[in-house]
Amino acid sequence: MLGAAFFAGFVDSIVGGGGLIQVPALLAGYPNIAPQELLGTNKLGGICGTGSAVYRYARFVRIPWRSLLPAAGLAFLAALAGASLVSRVPAAVFRPLVPIMLVGVLAYVLWRKDLGAVHRPAILSRRRSVLASAGICVIGLYDGFFGPGTGSFLMLLFIRVHGFDFLHASAAARLINVATNAGALVYFGVHADIHWAVGLCLGVCSASGSIAGIRTARRHGTGFVRIVFIAVVSALIAKTAWDGFR
């Protein structure tokens, strides 16, 4: 369980997708605990990992706080709303759609071989700002409710709309992930029993994994992050397709 948390933090700090590792481990390790309680516990561990990642990224990557903090506020509210849907809307409604969306992300990244290779932040016009805000809200809502692939969707948003390279997009995505984890955690903390001791242990391991992941990403650069992104999205497609269509 703790080893899964470390590896989840490692992968999540680079390109997201830690939930692909951590949530199944929790479900397998605690089969008698309600899924909502496990989701809340996972968010507690996740926010430790993403928070650690943001702190580490900020030491060597320029993060545009002025534009990202308002976006994080939107993401927090959207994730809070998304978490409230967990007990009202069956996740099975969305499961078949996730691998389809991820296939689109993967196909686009493979088609545009130069995508995210150069960090060239775009000047946000009114249209780009509206598009970015709408994307953050939709992804935040999705993360609070369901979650698989959130990091991938966020990274593509920052690369395509903001003009970030993969390394800067990863840093920005982790900041938004802190907000979505916080929004969901607030809801689950009020409406479900979070297993705090388990969540904090997972958080320590996830934070340790994120430190190792960021050191690796920094050492190898944007090209490495792109390769890991493609590998993780491919794994997400396989996992979510299996869950959605079995």
Side-chain angles (χ1 to χ4, degrees):
M1 183 71 65
L2 298 181
F6 179 89
F7 187 49
F10 180 89
V11 173
D12 205 53
S13 67
I14 303 174
V15 293
L20 176 71
I21 302 163
Q22 189 61 68
V23 173
L26 279 170
L27 291 171
Y30 299 95
N32 298 321
I33 296 179
Q36 285 143 307
E37 296 178 23
L38 292 181
L39 287 174
T41 303
N42 176 63
K43 291 297 183 185
L44 176 58
I47 200 171
C48 295
T50 51
S52 173
V54 171
Y55 172 75
R56 293 283 170 176
Y57 272 120
R59 298 174 68 176
F60 70 93
V61 169
R62 185 178 178 277
I63 297 177
W65 299 101
R66 183 175 296 181
S67 60
L68 289 185
L69 287 178
L74 287 175
F76 173 87
L77 295 174
L80 186 62
S84 70
L85 297 175
V86 169
S87 59
R88 302 174 190 175
V89 181
V93 172
F94 294 94
R95 278 201 180 101
L97 299 177
V98 177
I100 296 172
M101 293 187 293
L102 287 169
V103 166
V105 170
L106 181 61
Y108 186 73
V109 171
L110 292 174
W111 176 55
R112 293 284 304 274
K113 297 187 184 300
D114 61 337
L115 187 73
V118 178
H119 186 59
R120 193 177 293 120
I123 297 174
L124 287 183
S125 62
R126 186 170 184 176
R127 176 178 171 276
R128 280 180 179 267
S129 296
V130 170
L131 184 62
S133 297
I136 290 292
C137 287
V138 170
I139 296 171
L141 186 75
Y142 168 76
D143 191 34
F145 172 68
F146 195 40
T150 295
S152 304
F153 297 135
L154 284 171
M155 286 184 68
L156 183 62
L157 175 72
F158 283 113
I159 292 168
R160 184 66 185 85
V161 177
H162 290 265
F164 289 5
D165 64 11
F166 272 95
L167 191 62
H168 287 78
S170 181
R174 301 294 79 74
L175 175 59
I176 301 301
N177 244 168
V178 170
T180 58
N181 283 336
L185 185 60
V186 166
Y187 179 84
F188 288 123
V190 173
H191 294 90
D193 291 326
I194 293 177
H195 295 262
W196 294 95
V198 173
L200 290 173
C201 289
L202 295 177
V204 171
C205 293
S206 180
S208 300
S210 75
I211 292 171
I214 290 168
R215 284 177 178 169
T216 304
R218 183 181 185 182
R219 186 179 305 120
H220 297 287
T222 290
F224 171 77
V225 176
R226 184 180 190 272
I227 292 171
V228 175
F229 179 88
I230 291 170
V232 170
V233 171
S234 299
L236 277 167
I237 291 169
K239 177 65 168 62
T240 55
W242 172 257
D243 290 342
F245 295 107
R246 66 181 174 179

